[in-house]
Each structure stands twice: as structure tokens, then as C-alpha cells.
């Protein structure tokens, strides 16, 4: 006779507990990473604005992480619910299960919508902040940097067309190196 932890109703408590632990741990890691990305964005932009760098890159894709913790919180609740089922050894009553599904589903849906709509709003907000500090957006940032979801901002519009600067970007130079070159050429 094989030993199995599967209950008579097909529930595997050990599997639910381990799966729930995995989902909860993954969710906590993802929440921490998304909060770190948001703080990284704010720190990088604040530092560039404070130091008055002639050129800096806006990483427009990072703003997706503004609402990502909502999605990951849904994943965390799902993981915790699975863990509870594993510990209890029996599923939740239908009313509680339905309420959990609605809560998790709502968090994920609002989080996903927020990630895309919020990213658009955040990128518009940051663009306004950069303009108010005297920066100009270079047209064709992808052709300048060969990077998706990056926008080049400059304090002098002619830098967008400066052949030396464009060559340095094409050669993969770091923005800090390009800034040093610009500052040496235009003190």
C-alpha cells in the first residue's frame, strides 16, 4: 500500500503547502524587486537633475513597476491561501473560496491595468519634470541608443545631433563617459 497525503476529496495538503510557500516567496521577492526598481528610477532621475548632467537616459519601461506590487500582492494572497489549505488539510468553503478568487482576480486585473496606464501617466509626468528643469527630449531615442524603452534627454538640443555624441552612443559608451566628453568640449 503506497503512502499518500492525498485526502479522500483529492486534496494534497503537502502539495498545497509547498506550492503556497513557493507562490508566497515568489510574490514577496517580486514586490521587493518592483519597489527597488521604483526607488532606483527616482534616485537616478533625482541625481541626474541635481547634478545637471548634460545628457541622461529615461528608462521608460521601469515605470511599469509602479503598479506591479498590486499584481504581486494578488499572487501573495493566493500563495497564503494555498498554504492555509495545506495546513488545514481541507479546502475552503465555497463562499470563502469565491471571495478569495474575486479579491485575487481584482488585484491582478487592477494591477495589470495600472501597470500599463500608470506607466503612460508616469512617463508623461517625468517628461514634464525634465522639461521644467530645462531638458529637451531627443527625437529618435532608439536610433541614438539602440535600446528599447529609453529616452535621451539633453540640456542643449544640439547635442541630439552632435556627431561625436551620436558616435559615442553607437559605440556603446556609458552615458557618464559621454557626459564627461560633453563637459570637456562645452565647459
Amino acid at each position: 500500500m503506497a503512502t499518500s497525503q492525498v485526502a479522500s476529496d483529492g486534496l494534497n495538503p503537502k502539495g498545497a503547502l509547498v506550492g503556497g510557500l513557493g507562490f508566497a516567496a515568489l510574490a514577496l521577492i517580486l514586490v521587493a524587486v518592483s519597489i527597488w526598481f521604483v526607488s532606483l528610477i527616482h534616485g537616478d532621475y533625482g541625481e541626474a537633475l541635481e547634478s545637471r548632467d548634460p545628457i541622461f537616459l529615461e528608462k521608460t519601461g521601469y515605470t511599469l513597476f509602479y503598479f506591479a506590487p498590486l499584481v504581486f500582492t494578488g499572487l501573495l494572497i493566493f500563495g497564503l491561501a494555498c498554504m492555509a489549505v495545506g495546513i488545514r488539510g481541507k479546502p475552503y468553503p465555497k463562499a470563502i473560496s469565491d471571495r478569495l478568487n474575486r479579491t485575487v482576480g481584482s488585484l491582478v486585473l487592477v494591477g495589470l491595468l495600472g501597470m500599463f496606464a500608470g506607466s503612460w501617466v508616469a512617463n508623461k509626468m517625468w517628461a514634464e519634470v525634465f522639461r521644467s528643469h530645462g531638458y529637451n527630449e531627443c527625437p529618435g531615442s532608439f536610433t541614438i541608443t539602440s535600446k528599447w524603452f529609453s529616452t535621451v534627454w539633453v540640456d542643449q538640443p544640439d547635442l541630439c545631433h552632435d556627431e561625436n555624441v551620436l558616435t559615442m552612443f553607437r559605440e556603446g559608451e556609458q552615458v557618464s563617459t559621454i557626459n564627461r566628453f560633453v563637459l570637456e568640449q562645452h565647459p
Side-chain angles (χ1 to χ4, degrees):
M1 178 169 164
T3 59
S4 174
Q5 288 205 357
V6 177
S8 61
D9 59 359
L11 176 71
N12 180 344
K14 185 176 181 181
L17 179 63
V18 171
L21 266 167
F23 276 113
L26 177 64
L28 289 172
I29 290 167
L30 291 172
V31 167
V33 166
S34 61
I35 290 170
W36 176 72
F37 269 179
V38 169
S39 71
L40 181 70
I41 292 167
H42 288 257
D44 285 352
Y45 295 165
E47 189 177 302
L49 293 172
E50 187 177 305
S51 67
R52 297 291 304 157
D53 289 339
I55 300 172
F56 68 91
L57 295 181
E58 175 189 13
K59 297 173 179 89
T60 57
Y62 282 9
T63 54
L64 279 173
F65 288 95
Y66 279 30
F67 280 87
L70 289 177
V71 174
F72 304 141
T73 300
L75 182 63
L76 176 64
I77 291 170
F78 177 75
L80 294 173
C82 288
M83 287 172 50
V85 166
I87 292 168
R88 292 177 53 196
K90 59 182 180 178
Y92 288 108
K94 181 158 176 41
I96 293 174
S97 178
D98 288 346
R99 196 171 328 144
L100 275 169
N101 287 337
R102 277 193 305 275
T103 301
V104 169
S106 297
L107 281 170
V108 169
L109 181 62
V110 169
L112 287 174
L113 290 173
M115 285 172 69
F116 294 102
S119 178
W120 184 81
V121 170
N123 287 329
K124 293 293 182 189
M125 178 206 67
W126 279 115
E128 223 20 71
V129 168
F130 302 147
R131 282 188 193 96
S132 72
H133 281 83
Y135 285 92
N136 299 286
E137 179 180 350
C138 287
S141 290
F142 176 75
T143 58
I144 294 172
T145 64
S146 299
K147 295 179 182 178
W148 292 102
F149 307 113
S150 289
T151 302
V152 178
W153 289 90
V154 296
D155 65 354
Q156 300 170 32
D158 59 324
L159 289 174
C160 294
H161 309 288
D162 183 302
E163 198 52 47
N164 292 321
V165 170
L166 295 175
T167 299
M168 291 177 83
F169 268 115
R170 279 192 291 273
E171 291 175 351
E173 290 291 340
Q174 297 290 320
V175 176
S176 59
T177 303
I178 298 170
N179 278 329
R180 278 194 300 278
F181 169 79
V182 169
L183 290 171
E184 289 169 2
Q185 298 301 311
H186 308 279

